[in-house]
Amino acid sequence: MTAPVRTPENLLDLTPAAAEERLRVFFTGRGEPAYRAKQVARRLWQAPVASFEAITELPAALRAALAESFVIPRLELNVRQKSSDGTEKFLFKLADGQGIETVAIPDDGRMTLCISSQAGCALACAFCATGAMGFQRNLRVHEIAGQVREMRLLDPPIEITNIVFMGMGEPMMNWKNVDTVLTVLNSPQGLGIGARHITVSSVGILPGIVALGARPEQFRLALSIHAPTDDLRQTLMPVNTKYPLAEVIDAAKAFDRRVTFEYVMLGGVNDRVEDALNLARLARDCRAFVNLIPLHPGGAMGFTPTPRDAIVRFARELRKGGVEVAIRKSRGKDIAAACGQLRVERLGRRPPRPAEQDGHVEVA
Ligand code: SAH
C-alpha cells in the first residue's frame, strides 16, 4: 500500500501563530523539541529565508523533512527599476504567470511599500490603468504579504516602515485574504509593522469598511471619493451604483478612526469651486483628512490633469471650509511608477510612453 500523497502546506498563507502551531505539531510528532517550531517560524517573516535549505541553524535532515511537508514560495522578480528620486518599482510574476506590481517609496526617513491585493481589478474606475485591464483573480495571502517579504530578501534588503494598499486591485473585494495579511504585516511574529503605518485604500465597499473597523488594531482607512456628488461619481466609478456616496460617507462616520479621502484631480471634471465646496461639506461631516492626488497620465484615456495652480486653489478652498488637506507628491516620474502601469506596459495594452511623461507614484 502506498502512503497517501499530501500536497505540502503553504506556511506563508497562514497567520504567524497558525504557522507556528503547524510547525509545533510537525516537530513534536517527530520527537523533536518544541522550540524548533519557533526557530523555523522566525524564518518565515521576521528574518526570512529563500528556502528551508537556508535555515542553517537546523540539522540538514530536518530541513529536508520540512521541505517534504511544507512550502514557503517566493515571488519571482521580473523587473526592477529605480527612479532618480529613489522610488523603486518591482514587477513580480506569480506561479500561474500573473504579473503584479509593488512600488517602494522612500520619503523623510520612511520607506512606504505600495502593494497589490488583486491581479487586475473589477471596478473599472474611468481614470485607472488597473481598471482598464479587467479582473484576473484575487491574490493569496502569501502573494500579498510576500511583496513585503521579498523586500527583506533583497541584497541589500529594503526595510519597509509603512504599507499602503494602493497597488493593483480593491483590497476589500479580497477581504478574507487581506484580513489575514493585516495580521501577518502587523504581528510581532510576522513583519512587525505598526498598525498606524498600514493603510487600506478602498472605493468604499461597505462590508469591508465594517470589517476593518471591527479589528482592534489601529489600521488606517483611505477612501477613494473622487467626486462629491452621486451623479458625477457614477460616471467615474461604476461601483457607486452598489455603494452610493451617502452610504460610504455614513460608513466613514461610523468608522472609529479618522479616515482619509482620496480625490484625484481631473481637469474640468471634478475640480470646480462648487466641487470643493461640496467635498468640504462631506469631509467635515466625517472629519476626514483630504489627499488631493494629481492625475497620473498613465490611467485610462480621456482625462487631463488639473493644473498645479488650480490644485492649490482647490486645496485652499477646502481649507477655508475647515478641512485638513494635503496635495500628494509625485514620485518616480522617470520609471512609470504609477501602480498598475508597469504591468499594463508589459502586457502591451498601451504603447510605452517616453520617460518624461511617465508615472508618478503618489503617496500621502
Ligand atoms: N482599489 C483601491 C486601491 C487601489 S488604487 C482604491 O481605489 O482605493 C489607489 C489610489 O490610486 C486610488 O485612490 C485610485 O483612485 C488612485 N488612482 C487610480 N488611477 C489613478 C491615476 N491615473 N492617477 C492618480 N491616481 C489614481
Side-chain angles (χ1 to χ4, degrees), residues 114-115 117-118 121 123 125-131 165-172 200-204 222-226 237 261-266 293-300 328 338-339 341 360 362:
C114 179
I115 60 173
S117 56
Q118 298 181 314
C121 184
L123 298 176
C125 297
F127 46 82
C128 177
T130 309
F165 284 78
M166 294 184 186
M168 297 164 68
E170 167 54 47
M172 301 301 199
V200 179
S201 178
S202 173
V203 294
L223 289 172
S224 293
I225 298 294
H226 302 325
M237 304 172 71
F261 283 0
E262 290 165 279
Y263 196 91
V264 62
M265 300 297 297
L266 306 168
I293 313 174
L295 174 70
H296 183 271
R328 278 201 202 162
C339 293
Q341 201 174 48
H360 307 240
E362 316 291 354

Side-chain angles (χ1 to χ4, degrees), residues 312-329:
V312 171
R313 280 200 301 277
F314 195 91
R316 214 172 283 145
E317 209 58 60
L318 289 173
R319 247 176 238 126
K320 266 202 289 183
V323 174
E324 261 188 273
V325 52
I327 302 172
R328 278 201 202 162
K329 276 189 216 167

Side-chain angles (χ1 to χ4, degrees), residues 255-272:
F255 196 76
D256 70 348
R257 279 102 69 185
R258 192 159 187 214
V259 305
T260 298
F261 283 0
E262 290 165 279
Y263 196 91
V264 62
M265 300 297 297
L266 306 168
V269 175
N270 66 354
D271 60 354
R272 300 160 304 172

Side-chain angles (χ1 to χ4, degrees), residues 209-286:
I209 299 176
V210 172
L212 182 67
R215 292 214 34 162
E217 306 94 333
Q218 302 284 301
F219 297 119
R220 292 186 185 275
L221 172 67
L223 289 172
S224 293
I225 298 294
H226 302 325
T229 61
D230 274 314
D231 282 351
L232 181 56
R233 197 166 188 265
Q234 198 76 48
T235 65
L236 301 173
M237 304 172 71
V239 72
N240 195 71
T241 314
K242 180 140 191 211
Y243 300 115
L245 193 53
E247 290 179 26
V248 176
I249 299 297
D250 280 347
K253 269 193 240 173
F255 196 76
D256 70 348
R257 279 102 69 185
R258 192 159 187 214
V259 305
T260 298
F261 283 0
E262 290 165 279
Y263 196 91
V264 62
M265 300 297 297
L266 306 168
V269 175
N270 66 354
D271 60 354
R272 300 160 304 172
V273 174
E274 179 192 335
D275 298 319
L277 298 177
N278 284 328
L279 181 61
R281 189 175 37 75
L282 295 180
R284 272 198 312 270
D285 236 19
C286 40

